[in-house]
Amino acid sequence: DNADDAGMPALARGEDERPIDVDRREKSLGSERTLESDVRGRERVRKELLALVDDVAAELRSRKLRAGGVRVKLKYADFRRVSRELTLPEPACDAQTLLAAIDSLLPRIETERPIRLVGIACTRLVDDEAPRQASLFGGEASEQPGAVTTPGPMATERHERLGRALDAIHAKYGGDAIGRAAAGPRHERVPRGE
């Protein structure tokens, strides 16, 4: 196609008779939160991301998806943004694998500056029913620096069953019925500037 095509002026006017593809797959799924007070330090940032991990994993499971990649996003107090992403050795939908990815990504991000927003996104989404590639070395770390060490197929399946059990508890008793102790109370907020 070249710019002189007869259809180009119509497209420029917003006239397009091509069918709309409404069955498009999502490219990513995630969550982010603007913090009430700026945070610093890898452990503090990890704690804020930990509060999002279980929700994102539950959303993956509810949509019957697995993530082939994980992205961490931070926004600093000066509004500059940074993100880092990695590919998982095998698509997953359990919080433990997502957390392992976060732990691999955080050392590659400056966390000592004041941070105002944290986020995690799962990328390279695949259907939960898609065939899995069996690992010959399950649970071993890759030779690549910063690679995610996965728990291996048996542990991943246990983590996924645990996630589904938590999903059932949340559905029956509410989202605050059970959660990670390390994430702290969900209602804990500190006003910005204090």
Side-chain angles (χ1 to χ4, degrees), residues 53-63 93 167 170:
V53 166
D54 289 317
D55 292 340
V56 171
E59 189 65 22
L60 283 171
R61 288 188 300 273
S62 76
R63 295 183 187 207
C93 64
D167 295 344
H170 290 152

Side-chain angles (χ1 to χ4, degrees), residues 2-18:
N2 82 37
D4 295 329
D5 271 346
M8 192 59 72
L11 290 175
R13 289 188 305 271
E15 300 168 3
D16 189 353
E17 299 301 321
R18 294 177 292 183

